[in-house]
Amino acid sequence: MPESPTSSPAKPPSPPGSPVNVATPSAAWVLLRAAVVLLAFLALQLVLFKSLLKFPSTRFLPAPGRCNSTWANGPVEAGACKAGLIYVYDLPPEFNHELVGDCKRLWPWYSFCPYLSNGGLGRPCATVPAFSGVVPNASLPNWYNTDQFPLEIIIHRRILAHRCRTTDPSLATVFYVPFYAGLDVGSHLWGLNATVADRDRAGTRLLRWLTNQTSFQKSGGWDHFMTLGRITWDFRRYSDDAWGSNFVLMPGMGNVTRLVIESDRQDPMDVGVPYPTGFHPRAAADVRAWQRHVLSRNRTNLFGFAGAPRYGFRNDFRDVLLDECEDAGHASCRSVDCRGQRCNNDTAALTKLFLDSKFCLQPRGDSYTRRSLFDCMVAGAVPVLFWRRTAYDQYRWFLPAGQRGKEGEWSVFMDRRALSVGNVSVLDFLQGFSEQRVRRMRERVVEMIPRLVYSSSPHGLGDGMADAFEVALDGVFKRFRRRRWSIEREGPPPGPSVAVRVNGTSLAPPTSNGRNRSVIRRRRRRHVSRDRSRRVVSSHIRSVISQGPASGRQNVQTS
C-alpha cells in the first residue's frame, strides 16, 4: 500500500556511535562539566593576572576622567582640604603612559621594566631569597627593589589617589603636571644615535601643550608643580655638546616648582626631595616596628662605605675612603663594592651593611648627593658628610639642616681636605664620639625616617604620620599660599603671563662623563640667604617678559 503524503517516511538506522545512539547526559553531568569549565577559566584568569603583575603597566595611572562630582576620589569631609585642592593634568600619553609602556628601551644595558612595576616601587624583596635574612619577616612586605629614578611615577600615583584631588580646574589651588621628564631624558643620554634634539623634543612638546592650557595662562605657571626623577643637572644643558636636556631652562619653566631628587640651591624653583629607597611602609605601625628594630640592632661595625673607585678621575675621593676602610680593619669597617650594577641588583648587601654600621661614609657621587645617603639613614646609621651640599643645602623641608648645631644632631661633618692629605683618619675621628653621643645621633636619625620614605599605600601612612610625599605636598601648598598672598598684596604682574626665570642665578652646566651620568664642575661659592631666596621666589611673579632662555647668566660655585 503506498504511503500517504502526510505519513512519516521510514528512517534508516543510525550508524553506531551517532548522537542518537548516545545516552542523553543527566542534568548532574551537565552541571559538573560546566563547573569544571568555569574553574579552568578562572584558573587561567588568575595565571594571567599574576603574570601581568610582573610587568609594569599604566593601570595605576588612570586618566582623571569626567564624573558628576568635582571630587575625583569621592566627596571628603568638611575641612579635610583646608590647604586647597589639587588638579592633575590629563597629559597626552606620550608624556607618561607611553614611556612606561616602552620601559624595555629606557635603558641601554638592561630592561627597566622590573623597576617600574608596582607603581614605580619595583619588585617586592620578598621574592629575593637573600633579603629574607636581612630584615625581620614582619617588615619584609614593606621592602622593594626600588631604583633611584622612578620618583615621577611614585608621586603621580599618590596624587591621583589624594583625597583633595579635584576634576574641576576652576576649584584647584595647585596644578600637577605629570610629565616623566626623567624617564624621557634617561632614554636619550647614552644612545649611540641620540641627539640634542632627541633630548629636548619631549620637553618642548610638553611646554607647547602646557602653555596653551587656560589654567597655566592665568598664572604663568606659578601655581603649577611637577616632579623630576633625575638630578637637576640632567635638565640644565647650556651648550649643544653638554650633558642632558635643557628642559628647566626653556621658556615656560621659570615659574614652575620642581620636586627633584637633587636641586640647584640657587634656583628657588627647585625643591630637593629624598631619593626613593627600598623601604615603602604601608602604615604608621610598619614604620614604628622598623624604627624599633633598627634602634635595637647590634651594630658590629663602627662605619661602612658603599661605592666604587672611579679610576678615570684624578684624586678620586671615593678611593680615599676605600683606603680608610681598609686601614681601619675588618673589625671596624666594612664596604660594599658597587662597580657595575651590583648595588642596584643586590640591595640586600647594602641594607645589611648599613644595618651593621653605626656610621656610614657619604661622599658626593656623580653629583653632590647620592641615594646611599637615604639608604643609610633609613637603616638607622649616622651619615658622615664631606660636602655641605650633600644634605645641608638640599633638603630643608625634610632634614633639620641649614641651622648650625642642628646638623650635628643627626650627622657628622669631616674636613675632606685634611683627610685627603692624611692629617686625620676616619677611624680616629669617629672613635672620638662617646657611645652616648652616638646613641643620641642614631635616635635622631631614626626619628626622621618617616619623612624620608614613600609609603606603598596610595593613602599614606595614616595615624597622623607624614611620609616624604605628604611633607613635599604640604610644602608646595605653603609655598603657593605665600605667592598668592604676595599677588593679592602687590598686584598681578603687568602684561601677559609668560613664565620665565628672573633671578639669573643658574649654575654653570655639569660636564658629561659618559656612563657615569653628570659630574658637576667645581664652582666658586656664592652665599644666598634664606631671606633673599624668599624674595626671589616672590619677585619672580613680577618678571620681565622675555622669550629668550630662562637663564642668561652662568655663575660658578663650590660646595
Side-chain angles (χ1 to χ4, degrees), residues 463-529:
D463 200 18
M465 182 180 287
D467 70 343
F469 165 77
E470 290 168 322
V471 172
L473 191 59
D474 181 63
V476 167
F477 273 115
K478 289 179 178 176
R479 164 179 281 215
F480 290 175
R481 280 201 300 271
R482 288 196 298 267
R483 293 184 185 177
R484 185 170 291 104
W485 176 83
S486 175
I487 290 176
E488 291 173 352
R489 185 185 65 171
E490 302 174 11
S497 296
V498 177
V500 296
R501 176 132 23 93
V502 299
N503 60 324
T505 56
S506 291
L507 304 181
T511 57
S512 171
N513 70 342
R515 183 166 176 171
N516 284 325
R517 296 180 289 277
S518 55
V519 177
I520 311 306
R521 294 176 180 172
R522 299 183 60 85
R523 298 170 171 87
R524 174 173 49 83
R525 172 172 297 181
R526 179 175 182 185
H527 296 279
V528 180
S529 69

Side-chain angles (χ1 to χ4, degrees), residues 158 170 178 275 278 386 455 515:
R158 289 288 299 278
S170 67
Y275 276 77
F386 305 89
S455 173
R515 183 166 176 171

Side-chain angles (χ1 to χ4, degrees), residues 75-81:
V76 298
E77 298 177 2
C81 299

